């Protein structure tokens, strides 16, 4: 194995050569990409060693899906594509779920997989880990490329970067056959073939007419509402968004991963009055948020419609970088196509200095509903039931996040997700990372690793006990890199709850039930981290405080009432059997 970026060929005297391994490393570094999340094996083992040798951070995982999730969320946090590196066929497939999830969530990432000999794959002659990976990846990502020649590596990486971050961000697949890595070429020609991508995510400026249309609609509103989505968080236009909200005086709702763009304690936040403002609002300004299932497709009872398919009568203004997002579910009266920063700047310029505040009647009605709900929640949080329930445990997490607003919060589960989202306030942008558009389980430890690596801040991962199981083995990774991750498992002995019964009366437990009183904390202890067992809020608080202070990998097994929680959390109605009960 050659560890040097350039070397003198033994055959052609004095010609300095480079190879495919180093051209890939150099191309990534040239574009400011210095971290790889992956899992070694043929044909990329040497690549991982060399990348580390060349000063890149190579974070090695126990399963590719977790490496892929780490890369995806690194992309969301930084706006640069996160890199996931896998071996061929099975490793590639393990990474593919994360790539598809990244694309669905508009997170920029590049899945780089080594692949087998093209000639053998294409004739289907049964190579080691044979698979036509490019064809399989294509429908699941934004773009897919294969590089066959060392001199094309620069172009391949440049195209992958641009595809991942320009326009609507997403996942890109880059296929690198084993033979490519060992190809050599003249070092100077190699260096010259690399591309430093200029302006990878160009601003997209909205048209003047589109801006005026949006302003006219907003100005005439009696009950305006702003909805911030994770596209707004991704855009890193935090100051502009805050100015827009405050200058307009309009109540706003953050979607889950948009929490913290403005602090959740902001007086214009209408989160605590969500079910009141959605059906009541007459003009809704969507910023980087799709009208998908998470927003009931912009219609139905949530929006004041008479039945589940009816339009509620409100008008929509939508800021999105993707023109085809408009009208995807309901009519968009004022589409504003462009990047969030450019669109919000244009709106602010058009609003001028004397923008009228929304009618006091509307603001008072929102405030009244909000205060009532906040008081109700405070009452619930003040209770101290034994055993703990979601509220009493999350009241502790809420305090810890308030005291540590720079900490990252990772969150997955069903009830563990829904309750955390509504109870734990966020104070800064891009701090809350969760299951996203698919509601996918398994992002937990991958996100936690990347959150720690990319931010350097303590990470709190609030996990349902089922959710944790999908990526739990990565606690070894967390210990290996000594990351300041505190995993809190809200343990109620099963999927959703731990109390289901076997309908046949047989001896197997119900499909949703786990081993009772599992000692998850011992998993962390097995690898040298800190394990804690908490049955009261006081024990949980103490363990979390210690974890944040010490920055030691910690897993707290927080024992929750096994009857607490509902089927699928807040989306019970999406279970097909719910229709039978109607
Ligand atoms: P949420 O789940 O928080 O509602 P979604 O993932 O549904 O958010 O929507 C995010 C939207 O943001 C996508 O439609 C995407 O095209 C858009 N988007 C992503 N980045 C930008 C950006 N920089 N400027 C404008 N829109 C963006
Ligand atoms: N598999 C994948 C990849 N994603 C999923 N969303 C599911 C399965 C189904 N599922 C949910 O939607 S939530 C959940 C599963 C298995 C786990 C809920 O149990 P939990 O959380 O212990 O994590 P709560 O707090 O007990 O509800």
């Amino acid at each position: 194995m050659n560890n040097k970026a350039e070397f003198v060929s033994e055959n052609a005297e004095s010609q300095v050569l480079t190879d495919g391994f180093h051209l890939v490393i150099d191309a990534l570094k040239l574009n400011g990409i210095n971290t790889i999340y992956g899992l070694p094996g043929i044909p990329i083992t040497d690549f991982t060693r060399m990348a580390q040798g060349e000063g890149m951070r190579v974070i090695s995982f126990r399963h590719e899906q977790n490496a892929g999730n780490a890369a995806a969320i690194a992309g969301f946090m930084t706006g640069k594509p996160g890199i996931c590196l896998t071996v061929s066929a099975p490793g590639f497939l393990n990474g593919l779920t994360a790539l598809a999830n990244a694309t669905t969530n508009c997170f920029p990432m590049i899945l780089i997989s080594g692949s087998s000999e093209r000639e053998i794959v294409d004739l289907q002659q049964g190579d080691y880990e044979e698979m036509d990976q490019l064809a399989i990846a294509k429908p699941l990502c934004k773009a897919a490329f294969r590089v066959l020649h060392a001199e094309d590596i620069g172009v391949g990486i440049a195209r992958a970067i641009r595809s991942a971050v320009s326009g609507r961000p997403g996942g890109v697949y880059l296929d690198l056959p084993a033979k490519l890595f060992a190809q050599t070429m003249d070092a100077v020609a190699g260096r010259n073939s690399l591309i430093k991508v200029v302006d990878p995510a160009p601003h997209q400026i909205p048209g003047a007419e589109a801006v005026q249309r949006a302003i006219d609609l907003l100005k005439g509103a009696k009950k305006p509402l702003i909805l911030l989505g994770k596209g707004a968080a991704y855009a890193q236009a935090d100051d502009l968004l805050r100015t827009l909200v405050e200058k307009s005086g309009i109540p706003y709702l953050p979607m889950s991963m948009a929490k913290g763009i403005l602090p959740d304690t902001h007086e214009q936040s209408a989160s605590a009055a969500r079910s009141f403002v959605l059906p009541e609002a007459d003009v809704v300004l969507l910023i980087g948020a799709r009208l998908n299932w998470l927003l009931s497709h912009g219609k139905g009872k949530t929006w004041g419609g008479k039945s589940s398919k009816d339009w509620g009568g409100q008008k929509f203004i939508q800021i999105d970088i993707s023109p085809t997002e408009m009208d995807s579910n309901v009519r968009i009266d004022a589409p504003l196509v462009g990047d969030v920063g450019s669109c919000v700047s244009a709106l602010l310029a058009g609003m001028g200095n004397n923008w009228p505040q929304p009618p006091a009647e509307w603001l008072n009605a929102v405030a009244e509903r909000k205060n009532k709900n906040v008081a109700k929640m405070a009452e619930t949080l003040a209770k101290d039931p034994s055993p703990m329930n979601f509220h009493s445990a999350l009241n502790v997490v809420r305090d810890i996040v308030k005291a540590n607003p720079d900490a990252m919060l990772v969150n997955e589960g069903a009830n563990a997700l829904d309750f955390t989202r509504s109870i734990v306030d966020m104070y800064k942008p891009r701090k809350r990372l969760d299951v996203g558009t698919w509601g996918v389980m398994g992002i937990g430890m991958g996100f936690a690793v990347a959150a720690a690596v990319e931010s350097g801040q303590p990470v709190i991962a609030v996990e349902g006990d089922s959710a944790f199981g999908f990526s739990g083995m990565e606690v070894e990774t967390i210990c290996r890199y000594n990351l300041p991750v505190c995993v809190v498992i809200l343990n109620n002995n099963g999927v959703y709850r731990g109390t289901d019964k076997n309908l046949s009366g047989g001896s197997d437990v119900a499909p949703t039930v786990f081993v009772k009183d599992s000692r998850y904390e011992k998993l962390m202890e097995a690898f040298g981290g800190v394990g804690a067992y908490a049955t009261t809020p006081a024990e949980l608080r103490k363990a979390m405080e210690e974890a944040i202070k010490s920055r030691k990998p910690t897993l707290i097994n927080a024992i929750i009432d096994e009857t607490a929680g509902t089927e699928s959390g807040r989306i019970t109605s999406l279970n097909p059997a719910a229709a039978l009960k109607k």
Side-chain angles (χ1 to χ4, degrees), residues 31 33 35 71 74-75 78-83 108-110 160-162 164-165 170 234:
N31 284 288
I33 296 171
T35 305
T78 64
K80 279 197 256 175
I83 305 292
M109 80 172 267
I110 302 173
I161 291 172
R162 277 202 190 278
V165 298
Y234 173 79

Side-chain angles (χ1 to χ4, degrees), residues 45-59:
T45 316
D46 291 329
F47 179 81
T48 60
R49 293 192 186 108
M50 291 182 202
Q52 193 173 50
E54 296 284 334
M56 293 189 85
R57 186 109 201 251
V58 180
I59 305 290

Side-chain angles (χ1 to χ4, degrees), residues 390 412-416 438-441 464-468 470 490 492 494-497 566:
F390 286 99
E412 63 177 335
N415 296 281
W438 265 350
V440 66
M441 297 299 111
D465 50 327
S466 163
F468 172 74
F470 287 73
L490 298 177
N492 60 358
V495 179
Y496 313 131
R497 276 181 312 253
T566 55

